[in-house]
Amino acid sequence: YVLRQLQRAASRLASGFRISGQHSQLFWRAEGAARHIRPDILVRYLGPSGRPETVILDTKWKVPASAHPDDADLKQMYSYNLQFGAAQSYLLYPRVDDRNNRSGQFEAPHHDPRLKHACGMWFIDLFTAGKLRGDMGEEILSRLGALGR
């Protein structure tokens, strides 16, 4: 649902955002076996410098137990960022209380201190007046558009 809302919003806004879902990337290979990773949503657009940017969005239909992402979710987003060349990723959670959005930086690895990227938690209101929101895509794209400013 979130993917379709984003695609619909991008086409309506003629925004330059390219939205794709479930894009598979080879992650690990061994003789007779391979593993792929597949983030829920890839968002590509031209950043403020005119260079292509990629942002990973991963929808979570659970409510996090604390104000921080689970370790497993952070490790997943770290891998997505590296495999897809994204400097930023977001875990999208349904809003169920007054939790605040949160952002954090991954520590650069010792082998390449220039490799900096981040992950955040966004809480999205899924419903309005008892119905699924039809403007969720616009809200998410406006948040992404604000990243470049």
Side-chain angles (χ1 to χ4, degrees):
Y1 183 76
V2 174
L3 171 64
R4 283 190 306 235
Q5 289 294 317
L6 282 165
Q7 289 171 328
R8 191 173 297 140
S11 68
R12 271 197 307 256
L13 299 173
S15 60
F17 286 102
R18 290 189 352 255
I19 316 291
S20 61
Q22 298 288 314
H23 182 82
S24 184
Q25 175 85 24
L26 182 63
F27 181 66
W28 179 83
R29 181 185 354 206
E31 187 175 324
R35 296 290 182 263
H36 293 78
I37 59 174
R38 186 177 300 128
D40 291 337
I41 302 168
L42 286 175
V43 179
R44 293 186 173 106
Y45 62 100
L46 286 180
S49 67
R51 292 183 18 230
E53 302 277 343
T54 299
V55 175
I56 307 289
L57 301 175
D58 203 58
T59 56
K60 300 295 183 188
W61 299 106
K62 62 183 177 183
V63 178
S66 70
H68 306 285
D70 294 339
D71 283 351
D73 289 338
L74 282 173
K75 291 171 185 172
Q76 178 184 28
M77 301 310 278
Y78 185 90
S79 298
Y80 286 162
N81 282 357
L82 291 180
Q83 285 297 112
F84 291 92
Q88 189 70 41
S89 56
Y90 291 94
L91 296 155
L92 301 180
Y93 294 97
R95 180 177 304 282
V96 294
D97 54 24
D98 60 352
R99 294 184 197 205
N100 293 319
N101 298 328
R102 173 172 230 119
S103 245
Q105 292 288 125
F106 289 116
E107 287 298 313
H110 294 287
H111 67 85
D112 190 351
R114 297 166 299 158
L115 187 58
K116 296 192 184 259
H117 54 107
C119 178
M121 299 171 71
W122 280 350
F123 294 92
I124 305 292
D125 290 310
L126 300 176
F127 298 95
T128 184
K131 295 182 181 181
L132 279 171
R133 286 182 55 199
D135 65 343
M136 184 186 319
E138 284 88 349
E139 177 187 341
I140 296 168
L141 289 181
S142 72
R143 289 184 189 189
L144 291 173
L147 292 177
R149 294 185 178 96

